[in-house]
Every structure is written in C-alpha cells, then in structure tokens.
Amino acid sequence: MKKTEKCVLNLCLFYIIYVFMYGIVIKLTISNSILFQVKTYIPEIILGLITILVIAKNGIRLKRYSLMLLMYSLLIFAINFCIYGFSEQALYCIRDLYIPLIAFCFLMQVRVSSKGMEIFAQRLVLFFKIYIIAGFILAVVQQIMGWEWASTFYTGYSFYGQDPVSKVKIAHNLGLLRAPSLSGNFATFGYYCLIAAIFIAAHSYKSCKKLFWDVLAVICMVLATNKSAIVAYFVVFILRFTGDMRRKSTWTYRVVIGLVLMIAAFSAFMLIGDNSDGIGLLTSVFARFDVWKDIFNDTSVFEIVVPYKMFTYGSGAEGGLGFWDNTYLYYVFTQGIIGTALWALAIMRTYRIRMRDRNKVVRHYIYELTIAFLILSLTV
C-alpha cells in the first residue's frame, strides 16, 4: 500500500472515529477551554489534510462532473459574499458546505488498492463493533441512572434540555431518556448505529452474526429514541430479506413485500416525529409539514434558481431557518435547482464507479447505505 494512500485512509478512519465519539471528546475537553474550542474544528482540519494530500499526489485533477459542481458552488458563494460580506454566517457556510464539498470532489479521485481497502474495512468493522457494544452499555447506564447522571457525565454539572456550552441535549421521549451515549447527541447516536450495523452486516457471512449486531444496533436506536433511524433500518432490513425471498419463491416474495410495505408505511407515519405522547405521534408528520410550510413562507421561489440567501440558512441562521429538518429542502435553497442536480449527478457517478467494483461486499453496503441516507434525508 502506497504511503499517500495509507495516510488518506488513516485520516478517513480517524475522521469517522472522531465524529462518532464526539460525546467522549466533549467529556475529555470541557475542563480545558483551549482544547474545548479547538475540538470543534478537528473534523474540518482532517478534511483539509485529506484534500492537501490528494492534491500533492495527483495535482488539481478532477472529473468533469466534480469540476462543474465545484465551480458552480464557488459562483454561488461569490454571489452571497458580494451581498453579505465575510460574516460569521459565511464561516458556518464554509464549514458545513464547502469544506466537505471540496474534500468530496478530491477524495473521489483517489484510487485505492484492493489490499488497502481490505485493511481499511477490517479496521472500520472492528471499530463499529466496539462502538455498538460500548454505546449500548453507556446508553443502558444512562437510562438506569437518569438524566442528572447523564448530563453530569459529559459536562461535570447537571442540566436538562440543551446545554448552551457543550450543546449536549438531555430530554425524554416515549417514557425513555433520549440517551446521547458516545456521540453526545441522541439523534446522531441512532444514525451512527444504523451506519455501523449496515457496514458490519456487509462483512458478516453468517446470518446469526448479522442478526446479533442488527438487534444490538436497533436496541441502541430505541434507547436513543431515534425513530427515523429505526424506520430507515427496517426498510433496509426488508429490502435485504425480500431480496433473499425473491430468489426462493416469486409468490411468497410478492405476499411478503406487500405486507412489509404496509408495515413500513404505517411505522414511518407513526414513528417519524418528536412528540412524546401516543396521540401526538399521529400528528408529528403533519407538524413537520407545518415547519416546512413556514420555511416556504420565509423564502422566495427565486432562490431556487439563484440561491442568493445561502449565508442566512443553516447553522448561522436564527429560528426555523437554522434547522430545516429536511436535507433535500436545505440543498435546494442553498445550492439551487442547478446545484442540487449537479450534486445528484456527482453522487450518482461516484456511486456507479464504486458499484463497478467486483467486490460484492462493497456493492452490498453501498446499496444499503444509499437507501438509508435517502430515507434519513427526509427528516434530517
């Protein structure tokens, strides 16, 4: 394995570990003001290092679709810069959109050897297994000990709700403590367990092992009360199961797929939402539509063509425009129709390149992760 390739893969692995373990990072750095401030920028620094390494090795060479996406996004940034100047909101936009975009465009140009990919996958599977087990233990302890212990675990002091310093949120839902566990956030903990379960299943050849990790991951999602992750997981599981059934019996496959789709639709309607009471679960989906309706009232249709208010959305915004609860809407209004289409094209091209890999394991988890992300993007 070449030195540059090894460094890039190690940085990618470190990036994943750091992001997944962010709750522990908060716990370890909150007592030191300097480290606590620096820890926020570590993911961006890692992505920057990856980009620099790739450029140093391959030069500034991009696929046509990546170049088109990058140039268009920079044009939109220039338009917003001329209108709003270099403000704090611009920095948030660079952090949330442009650093990941640039890293994505250059990282997709890296050719990884089969041996390098195999070593990377083995290390990632090992980390994901440790993550699910450790996350499960911590989540159970948090449920038993209660919200005061859970909040003190991260910050050293007791609080309920969202702590303004650490941004850790302690809350209840459906009678359970929304366990932040290792990631420090109940929502991301559920998403990360979903990703880990899919990746582990792709590298497990025995059904009993797959079932063990799937069940443990679902329990973690339940303890975090992340209903969107649970729905996404069951859709992925259903597709995996019906794929096996289809090879065995066409009639049985049709019956099972019909039942499963009805159950999935009912589960999605019942589970996606944040209300804690049973009746509220039925209205939570409509509440989301109300949020999106309010967003449309605060925006202009012309922004879809030319997103000239990109800086005022996302992390730097106030009120409803700071949290869209829908990735698709967010990208339409921050990148426009053209930018969103270019993003979709870049992801599809990258997806096809990776799917050409003869390794069935790679194709398996890319397919399942894609389905999961498409579902999660509706409510994230």
Side-chain angles (χ1 to χ4, degrees):
M1 187 163 54
K2 296 180 181 179
K3 188 176 180 180
T4 303
E5 177 187 330
K6 184 178 180 180
C7 289
V8 170
L9 290 177
N10 286 338
L11 283 172
C12 289
L13 182 61
F14 180 63
Y15 178 86
I16 294 170
I17 293 173
Y18 188 89
V19 172
F20 275 52
M21 301 289 290
Y22 196 68
I24 305 303
V25 173
I26 291 173
K27 177 178 175 60
L28 296 176
T29 59
I30 196 167
S31 59
N32 187 303
S33 59
I34 297 175
L35 290 177
F36 189 72
Q37 290 180 352
V38 170
K39 65 111 173 59
T40 307
Y41 305 102
I42 297 298
E44 287 73 35
I45 292 173
I46 297 172
L47 292 178
L49 288 173
I50 291 173
T51 304
I52 292 170
L53 281 173
V54 174
I55 292 175
K57 177 65 178 178
N58 300 329
I60 305 178
R61 291 183 296 177
L62 295 171
K63 299 287 185 182
R64 185 179 299 175
Y65 58 86
S66 295
L67 182 61
M68 289 172 60
L69 172 61
L70 187 58
M71 295 303 294
Y72 175 81
S73 296
L74 291 175
L75 173 62
I76 297 302
F77 183 87
I79 293 172
N80 280 264
F81 179 77
C82 291
I83 297 173
Y84 300 102
F86 198 75
S87 60
E88 184 180 7
Q89 292 174 326
L91 292 174
Y92 282 126
C93 191
I94 292 172
R95 183 195 68 182
D96 296 342
L97 285 175
Y98 284 90
I99 292 178
L101 167 63
I102 294 171
F104 168 79
C105 289
F106 282 98
L107 187 58
M108 291 305 102
Q109 315 308 314
V110 178
R111 292 185 177 181
V112 182
S113 63
S114 299
K115 182 181 178 181
M117 199 63 192
E118 183 180 353
I119 294 172
F120 176 77
Q122 289 174 352
R123 292 175 178 175
L124 198 54
V125 168
L126 177 60
F127 166 70
F128 282 155
K129 288 180 177 180
I130 295 172
Y131 185 83
I132 289 179
I133 292 174
F136 167 74
I137 294 172
L138 181 56
V140 169
V141 172
Q142 289 175 341
Q143 292 290 341
I144 295 172
M145 301 302 291
W147 66 267
E148 290 186 273
W149 185 92
S151 58
T152 306
F153 173 81
Y154 298 102
T155 62
Y157 50 85
S158 176
F159 66 90
Y160 191 83
Q162 185 169 25
D163 177 40
V165 178
S166 65
K167 304 302 181 185
V168 174
K169 187 175 181 180
I170 303 295
H172 285 82
N173 188 261
L174 299 176
L176 292 172
L177 174 69
R178 308 194 83 171
S181 196
L182 297 175
S183 73
N185 182 290
F186 56 80
T188 56
F189 178 57
Y191 302 144
Y192 296 160
C193 286
L194 171 64
I195 294 170
I198 289 174
F199 200 85
I200 292 171
H203 291 82
S204 299
Y205 299 100
K206 294 184 178 179
S207 299
C208 57
K209 288 185 177 181
K210 286 184 181 181
L211 183 62
F212 171 78
W213 293 109
D214 282 345
V215 170
L216 201 57
V218 170
I219 293 174
C220 289
M221 296 176 212
V222 171
L223 292 174
T225 67
N226 188 323
K227 297 176 284 292
S228 298
I230 295 171
V231 171
Y233 164 78
F234 277 109
V235 172
V236 169
F237 179 80
I238 287 162
L239 291 172
R240 188 190 303 167
F241 175 75
T242 51
D244 295 334
M245 291 294 297
R246 189 161 128 186
R247 288 190 289 270
K248 296 177 182 178
S249 171
T250 304
W251 184 84
T252 306
Y253 167 75
R254 289 174 180 173
V255 173
V256 170
I257 195 66
L259 291 173
V260 161
L261 286 174
M262 287 189 290
I263 294 171
F266 179 75
S267 299
F269 181 77
M270 287 290 290
L271 293 177
I272 295 180
D274 296 320
N275 295 305
S276 58
D277 59 288
I279 298 175
L281 285 171
L282 293 172
T283 60
S284 60
V285 175
F286 298 107
R288 263 185 166 78
F289 281 105
D290 289 337
V291 171
W292 298 332
K293 183 180 178 180
D294 291 338
I295 287 175
F296 278 114
N297 291 334
D298 293 334
T299 55
S300 169
V301 177
F302 186 67
E303 294 175 53
I304 298 176
V305 182
V306 181
Y308 59 90
K309 294 172 67 176
M310 178 177 64
F311 285 2
T312 63
Y313 301 144
S315 299
E318 296 180 358
L321 294 178
F323 185 66
W324 289 62
D325 223 11
N326 188 306
T327 301
Y328 301 113
L329 281 181
Y330 178 72
Y331 273 101
V332 166
F333 280 93
T334 56
Q335 296 292 295
I337 291 292
I338 297 174
T340 303
L342 289 173
W343 261 109
L345 176 63
I347 293 172
M348 286 175 59
R349 290 290 181 89
T350 304
Y351 176 83
R352 287 176 181 174
I353 290 171
R354 298 309 178 200
M355 289 296 279
R356 288 175 193 161
D357 196 322
R358 295 180 180 179
N359 190 335
K360 292 182 179 179
V361 172
V362 174
R363 298 183 65 178
H364 177 80
Y365 68 72
I366 287 178
Y367 169 71
E368 291 192 353
L369 283 174
T370 302
I371 297 298
F373 289 150
L374 287 173
I375 296 170
L376 292 178
S377 295
L378 288 169
T379 58
V380 176

